[in-house]
């Protein structure tokens, strides 16, 4: 049952992107927005709080499976997060919705690629427990598109830009070329997602005549629990639309 559910989500996401690309999809809202709490996840994987998650090291086969399982879950939740951006925040320019649909479509592809990788290792998504915390960010930032943009693409996804190059290096040193290729592909797309997040964050700040750098700091302080975690990949973050002042602040606060 849960497999069908997952596959339908992937298929519908790709289908919506195709419709949109051929000008056959209207982003006009026809219903009132439901609360984030209405969102349903598949029965598997079971979701655990981060402290109950087993630790993983990628230098054993089971550690590698655990790593890619965790990543599959991040991508799966990322599909939901992109769709929620489209669904929840109304009255924005058409391009906003097209951009987040592109993100949803790429996240769906990432999920499929990682799932294939897991299957090749004799495992599947749903075999292990997964982190329950990712969706909390959607809940916490449901009322404010700027908070959502600051926390989801410009904090969570941006963290991927810091961590993924290190993981690519580790897999490379193990001679695991399939994992290297997969992560390299995903990293490229993720730079684009953060860039879309930065673009809309700045644009919507400008419309409200807010200083986007100050607003970013204010929102991270308000919605991010704990100190920002470094080290930060300045080079990729700059490509993804961060300013040096923002990265300086992150480094000082870490
Ligand atoms: Fe992704
Ligand atoms: Fe992403």
């Amino acid at each position: 049952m849960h497999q069908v559910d997952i596959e339908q989500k992937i298929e519908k996401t790709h289908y919506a992107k195709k419709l949109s690309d051929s000008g056959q999809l209207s982003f006009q809202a026809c219903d009132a927005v439901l609360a984030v709490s209405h969102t349903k996840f598949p029965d598997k994987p079971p979701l655990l709080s981060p402290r109950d998650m087993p630790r993983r090291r990628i230098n054993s086969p089971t550690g590698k499976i655990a790593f890619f399982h965790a990543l599959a879950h991040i991508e799966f939740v990322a599909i939901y997060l992109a769709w929620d951006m489209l669904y929840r925040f109304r009255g924005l320019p058409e391009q906003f919705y097209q951009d987040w649909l592109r993100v949803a479509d790429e996240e769906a592809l990432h999920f499929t690629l990682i799932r294939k990788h897991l299957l090749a290792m004799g495992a599947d998504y749903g075999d292990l427990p997964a982190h329950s915390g990712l969706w909390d960010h959607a809940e916490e930032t449901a009322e404010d598109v700027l908070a959502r943009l600051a926390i989801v693409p410009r904090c969570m996804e941006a963290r991927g830009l810091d961590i993924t190059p290190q993981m690519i290096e580790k897999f490379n040193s193990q001679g695991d070329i399939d994992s290297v290729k997969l992560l390299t592909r995903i990293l490229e797309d993720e730079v684009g997602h953060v860039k879309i997040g930065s673009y809309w964050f700045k644009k919507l700040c400008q419309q409200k005549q807010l200083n986007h750098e100050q607003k970013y700091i204010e929102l991270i302080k308000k919605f991010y629990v704990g100190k920002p975690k470094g080290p930060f990949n300045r080079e990729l973050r700059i490509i993804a639309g961060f300013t040096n002042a923002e990265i300086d602040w992150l480094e000082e606060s870490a």
Side-chain angles (χ1 to χ4, degrees):
M1 184 62 194
H2 100 103
Q3 279 214 351
V4 175
D5 187 30
I6 289 172
E7 270 152 28
Q8 276 180 358
K9 281 185 204 304
I10 305 293
E11 262 169 45
K12 284 186 177 164
T13 301
H14 292 317
Y15 184 58
K17 177 70 165 66
K18 268 190 206 129
L19 286 179
S20 166
D21 287 348
S22 57
Q24 295 179 76
L25 189 69
S26 161
F27 292 104
Q28 205 64 45
C30 43
D31 288 313
V33 183
L34 293 173
V36 175
S37 57
H38 280 77
T39 315
K40 288 192 175 67
F41 283 91
D43 314 337
K44 286 201 299 176
L47 301 177
L48 296 183
S49 85
R51 36 184 161 85
D52 299 326
M53 288 292 292
R55 290 189 133 267
R56 50 177 200 257
R57 281 176 186 279
I58 59 153
N59 45 14
S60 72
T62 49
K64 204 182 272 190
I65 287 171
F67 170 78
F68 281 102
H69 191 280
L71 199 56
H73 184 63
I74 290 172
E75 299 293 354
F76 193 66
V77 177
I79 304 169
Y80 279 65
L81 287 167
W83 271 115
D84 197 70
M85 194 82 90
L86 273 142
Y87 169 76
R88 191 157 306 283
F89 303 107
R90 307 277 167 99
L92 294 162
E94 185 87 0
Q95 188 64 45
F96 179 89
Y97 302 104
Q98 285 167 359
D99 282 350
W100 294 107
L101 182 55
R102 183 187 126 193
V103 174
D105 186 60
E106 289 179 356
E107 305 296 19
L109 175 68
H110 297 169
F111 174 79
T112 304
L113 294 174
I114 295 169
R115 194 172 178 199
K116 273 189 193 150
H117 199 54
L118 278 173
L119 288 168
M121 293 188 278
D124 195 4
Y125 180 59
D127 286 355
L128 299 173
H131 188 319
S132 66
L134 302 175
W135 190 244
D136 294 348
H137 302 293
E139 196 109 26
E140 289 154 12
T141 59
E143 302 302 321
D144 179 357
V145 67
L146 288 178
R148 176 66 63 85
L149 289 164
I151 292 296
V152 174
R154 303 198 81 219
C155 186
M156 290 168 69
E157 292 192 278
R159 190 72 195 123
L161 309 189
D162 306 327
I163 293 169
T164 312
Q166 300 167 21
M167 296 311 298
I168 291 172
E169 228 165 85
K170 277 189 194 163
F171 284 115
N172 200 24
S173 70
Q174 294 178 8
D176 180 351
I177 301 308
D178 287 343
S179 295
V180 169
K181 277 189 194 157
L182 177 58
L183 292 178
T184 305
R185 163 68 207 265
I186 290 175
L187 178 60
E188 233 169 71
D189 290 345
E190 292 304 331
V191 172
H193 300 175
V194 179
K195 199 172 179 177
I196 289 172
S198 295
Y199 172 83
W200 285 106
F201 186 81
K202 279 180 210 166
K203 183 142 180 128
L204 299 179
C205 280
Q206 273 163 10
Q207 277 176 7
K208 293 182 180 170
Q209 292 176 336
L210 298 167
N211 175 307
H212 69 86
E213 287 172 333
Q214 275 169 16
K215 189 69 187 170
Y216 177 70
I217 292 170
E218 181 195 314
L219 289 168
I220 296 297
K221 280 182 179 167
K222 187 169 169 192
F223 289 97
Y224 188 84
V225 184
K227 287 177 181 176
K229 276 185 214 98
F232 304 94
N233 187 322
R234 189 174 289 261
E235 195 189 333
L236 288 183
R237 282 179 178 253
I238 293 283
I239 298 170
F242 276 82
T243 64
N244 274 309
E246 286 170 334
I247 303 169
D248 290 344
W249 177 79
L250 286 168
E251 281 178 347
E252 283 157 23
S253 326

